[in-house]
Amino acid sequence: MIEKNKKGFQSDMNRIAKVAARFRFEHPEIMLSHLQAFVEIAKSPGITMKELSVRLDVSQSSTSRIVAALSEHHRLDKPGLDLVEAIEDPVERRRK
């Protein structure tokens, strides 16, 4: 039984490694934190920055920088990866 679980774990890790390698090929500058955020956003479209911050266990300012890197326009006039879009909540403009 332990061997079977080990094989399943190895298979999962191989899949994760392939996905990470593909992301790195397409976007060589992508960091693990960006990849983690992208996965969380893909799993929960419409997630707020605050919710994402909790799931990633990072500060809201770090979350904002990560999302900016994944968006069309990164900070400091650098282009982002253009993988996600951050939209202001029309009711609460401080929330994205």
Side-chain angles (χ1 to χ4, degrees):
M1 185 76 147
I2 294 173
E3 277 302 308
K4 189 173 188 181
N5 289 337
K6 221 181 214 184
K7 286 181 183 178
F9 179 78
Q10 276 304 110
S11 177
D12 289 346
M13 293 303 103
N14 288 337
R15 276 188 247 135
I16 290 169
K18 285 179 184 177
V19 169
R22 185 166 182 187
F23 262 91
R24 294 288 295 189
F25 179 77
E26 294 290 328
H27 305 285
E29 66 281 3
I30 200 163
M31 297 174 12
L32 180 58
S33 58
H34 299 149
L35 190 53
Q36 289 173 307
F38 180 78
V39 169
E40 288 300 327
I41 294 166
K43 286 182 355 186
S44 303
I47 189 172
T48 65
M49 291 278 210
K50 186 173 184 173
E51 292 170 319
L52 184 59
S53 175
V54 169
R55 289 190 192 179
L56 297 176
D57 194 26
V58 298
S59 69
Q60 286 191 15
S61 60
S62 292
T63 302
S64 182
R65 283 191 295 274
I66 291 167
V67 170
L70 292 172
S71 299
E72 185 178 1
H73 301 288
H74 195 358
R75 56 195 195 108
L76 306 174
D77 293 327
K78 290 172 50 178
L81 299 174
D82 200 17
L83 297 172
V84 301
E85 183 178 15
I87 302 169
E88 284 184 4
D89 184 334
V91 176
E92 168 114 26
R93 299 192 56 87
R94 292 184 306 166
R95 187 168 68 183
K96 289 187 178 183

